[in-house]
């Protein structure tokens, strides 16, 4: 009452910025995405276990298709709040700054978040999302609408991510160190992946061929969209932080992948990637466990007699792979085989072999000598199974992506979990329970569009 001189200045925090440079949001956005994908409780339990790369010898409800609601809600919340929303804010700040390359990076991450969300859940809020207090009940858009919108975002990103338009702060870009040309390749390659994923419902060969012709797709593994983690927690790869740092050794290798690498099934030659993806068990053997089994550990499957994850994949610095040259080669092989892009079987075979060679290089430069033989050699009559199976092998540890691509292609043939809650590998994540109370009307409308309702087994739009 008695003093108001310099009141505004006295109550202003000199350390509180009035504005944030757009690029300061990029690092946390990339890290949040990598962490939610590689968390053993997310991409491990509900990705790598469902794709049958990982298996568990204890605490395996998720492997038996009984996921935790907290994990489902966490994936949704992080991708909306810490990735898509921050990407939106970064874009708006970059517009004010007239920073075109920052706009392009933000649009790429926004598209990445929404594509991952819709691939995991199906229909999601998109056109009315990220509006804050102005709209707390956004409608759920069809997956086709989300895909179309993300393709538009990526087209704009590709246009803006021209090195002639400026540069990115290398200290904030923890993916590419400020290399704008590689961000442009990431946006173009991500668009190609999106076009392939929706191709069974909406094939766009002219757009795929245009991307091939553009020269903007990944040209080597040096272009991979990776987050390379640091050597110690809390900035190490989440798999390391759970299994090694957290001494949670229940995550093991699945017999589905071991049996295809040691030649037990499928007629595959011995695969020298096996000692990279797995460690010998206590008896000195590579032994996987099939998915499921309610009563574990047991004499049959224990901590000792099932192979642990390979030391290469337990490194603290193991990258979080957002999109790789290796995966792109298999997508190109499929596109050529289906005549979406030019070259036919000759091009498909070349892309397919390039993908295999790149995967061996990714796996600590495993010796590929003798592998490209027998049933591995590209054969047009079995091309889809061959391409998809080799891609599945190459996506080891990339939990969500491996599961999503397996859902799309159906290869290799996998047997549902023993003692599973139902006799079918899940097709999606259910919506977070909180949506039923916070956005009930729109949630109910979305559920009514799902064949079978809000269930793990309800197929999403692009599934064959």
């Amino acid at each position: 009452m008695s003093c108001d001189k310099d009141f505004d200045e006295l109550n202003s925090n000199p350390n509180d910025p009035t504005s944030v440079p757009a690029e300061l949001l990029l690092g946390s956005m990339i890290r949040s995405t990598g962490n939610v994908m590689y968390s053993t409780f997310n991409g491990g339990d509900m990705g790598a276990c469902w794709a049958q790369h990982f298996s568990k010898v204890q605490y395996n409800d998720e492997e038996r298709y009984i996921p935790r609601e907290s994990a489902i809600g966490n994936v949704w919340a992080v991708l909306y709040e810490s990735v898509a929303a921050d990407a939106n804010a970064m874009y708006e700040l970059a517009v004010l700054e007239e920073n075109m390359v920052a706009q392009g990076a933000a649009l790429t991450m926004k598209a990445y978040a929404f594509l991952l969300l819709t691939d995991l859940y199906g229909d999601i809020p998109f056109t009315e999302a990220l509006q804050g207090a102005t709209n707390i009940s956004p409608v759920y858009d069809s997956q086709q609408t989300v895909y179309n919108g993300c393709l538009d975002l990526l087209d704009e990103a590709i246009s803006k991510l021209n090195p002639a338009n400026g540069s990115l702060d290398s200290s904030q870009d923890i993916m590419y160190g400020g290399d704008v040309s590689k961000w442009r390749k990431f946006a173009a390659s991500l668009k190609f992946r999106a076009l392939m994923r929706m191709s069974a419902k909406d094939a766009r060969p002219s757009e795929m061929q245009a991307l091939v012709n553009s020269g903007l797709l990944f040209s080597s593994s040096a272009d991979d969209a990776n987050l390379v983690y640091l050597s110690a927690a809390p900035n190490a790869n989440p798999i390391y932080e759970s299994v090694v740092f957290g001494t949670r050794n229940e995550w093991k290798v699945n017999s589905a992948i071991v049996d295809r690498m040691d030649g037990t099934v499928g007629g595959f030659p011995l695969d020298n990637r096996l000692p990279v993806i797995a460690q010998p068990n206590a008896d000195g053997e590579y032994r996987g466990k099939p998915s499921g089994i309610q009563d574990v550990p047991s004499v049959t499957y224990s901590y000792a007699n099932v192979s642990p994850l390979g030391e290469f994949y337990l490194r603290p610095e193991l990258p979080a792979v957002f999109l790789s040259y290796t995966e792109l080669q298999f997508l190109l092989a499929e596109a050529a085989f289906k005549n979406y892009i030019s070259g036919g079987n000759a091009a498909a075979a070349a892309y397919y072999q390039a993908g295999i060679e790149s995967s061996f290089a990714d796996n600590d430069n495993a010796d590929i000598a003798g592998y490209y033989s027998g049933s591995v050699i590209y054969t047009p009559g079995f091309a889809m199974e061959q391409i998809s199976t080799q891609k599945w092998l190459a996506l080891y540890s990339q939990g969500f992506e491996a599961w999503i691509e397996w859902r799309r292609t159906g290869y290799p043939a996998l047997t549902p979990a023993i003692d599973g809650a139902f006799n079918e590998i899940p097709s999606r994540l259910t919506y977070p329970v909180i949506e039923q109370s916070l956005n009930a009307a729109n949630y109910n409308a979305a559920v009514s569009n799902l064949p079978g309702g809000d269930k793990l087994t309800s197929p999403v739009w692009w599934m064959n």
Side-chain angles (χ1 to χ4, degrees), residues 108-154:
T108 304
M109 290 304 301
K110 183 177 179 179
Y112 193 94
F114 276 119
L115 287 169
L116 183 53
L117 278 163
T118 194
D119 288 343
L120 293 175
Y121 296 92
D123 295 355
I124 58 168
F126 178 72
T127 57
E128 293 186 4
L130 313 180
Q131 295 178 3
T134 61
N135 185 356
I136 61 173
S137 301
V139 298
Y140 282 62
D141 294 291
S142 70
Q143 194 169 26
Q144 186 172 17
T145 297
V146 178
Y147 259 73
N148 289 337
C150 287
L151 292 175
D152 289 341
L153 292 175
L154 291 170

Side-chain angles (χ1 to χ4, degrees), residues 150-402:
C150 287
L151 292 175
D152 289 341
L153 292 175
L154 291 170
D155 282 339
E156 185 180 352
I158 293 167
S159 175
K160 292 179 181 297
L161 286 166
N162 187 327
N165 291 334
S167 60
L168 284 169
D169 185 340
S170 61
S171 68
Q172 302 303 318
D173 178 10
I174 59 176
M175 183 177 292
Y176 285 127
D179 191 328
V180 176
S181 64
K182 290 189 176 182
W183 270 99
R184 198 179 196 190
K185 288 185 176 184
F186 177 29
S189 300
L190 181 59
K191 181 182 177 183
F192 194 90
R193 182 165 80 179
L195 288 168
M196 283 302 299
R197 191 153 291 164
M198 66 188 282
S199 61
K201 299 297 183 181
D202 183 6
R204 302 185 187 183
S206 62
E207 293 187 47
M208 296 182 198
Q209 187 64 56
L211 286 167
V212 173
N213 295 344
S214 73
L216 294 178
L217 297 177
F218 290 160
S219 57
S220 74
S221 292
D223 296 328
D224 287 357
N226 288 343
L227 165 60
V228 178
Y229 285 97
L230 303 182
S231 60
N235 295 308
N237 186 288
I239 299 174
Y240 163 86
E241 291 191 358
S242 286
V243 179
V244 180
F245 185 76
T247 64
R248 296 289 300 268
N249 295 305
E250 65 263 28
W251 283 276
K252 302 286 187 178
V253 180
N254 199 297
S255 58
I257 194 165
V258 172
D259 292 350
R260 283 169 174 80
M261 286 186 155
D262 68 7
T264 300
V265 299
F268 291 105
L270 185 64
D271 193 327
N272 289 322
R273 290 172 293 185
L274 179 56
V276 181
I277 72 146
Q279 299 177 60
N281 65 7
D283 297 322
E285 302 171 342
Y286 292 102
R287 182 175 188 256
K289 169 189 164 291
S291 291
I293 306 175
Q294 184 170 358
D295 296 319
V296 285
S298 64
V299 173
T300 308
Y301 296 107
S302 67
Y303 281 88
N305 63 24
V306 180
S307 287
L309 307 183
E311 291 183 356
F312 184 80
Y313 284 94
L314 293 176
R315 292 174 295 143
E317 303 92 350
L318 178 72
V321 180
F322 289 51
L323 179 59
S324 70
Y325 168 81
T326 301
E327 181 182 358
L328 179 64
Q329 295 312 292
F330 291 119
L331 293 172
L332 288 164
E334 180 184 347
F337 169 70
K338 292 180 174 178
N339 293 315
Y340 294 152
I341 61 174
S342 61
N345 281 311
Y351 287 129
Y352 167 74
Q353 188 167 352
I356 294 173
E357 291 171 354
S358 183
S359 175
F360 273 76
D362 291 342
N363 281 274
D364 204 22
N365 292 306
D367 185 4
I368 196 173
Y371 184 74
Y372 196 74
S373 62
S375 63
V376 175
I377 295 175
Y378 181 87
T379 307
F382 301 96
M384 266 308 298
E385 182 175 1
Q386 289 179 310
I387 294 167
S388 302
T389 299
Q390 288 296 330
K391 173 152 51 66
W392 175 80
L393 290 169
L395 289 172
Y396 178 78
S397 91
Q398 298 176 44
F400 279 146
E401 182 62 17

Side-chain angles (χ1 to χ4, degrees), residues 28 36-37 42 57 59 79 100 124 131 159 177 190 194 200 237-238 266 285 303 366 374 430 443 461:
S28 63
V36 80
M37 291 193 301
N42 299 334
V57 292
Y59 314 120
L79 290 175
M100 293 182 68
I124 58 168
Q131 295 178 3
S159 175
L190 181 59
N237 186 288
E285 302 171 342
Y303 281 88
T430 53
Y443 162 82
W461 167 68

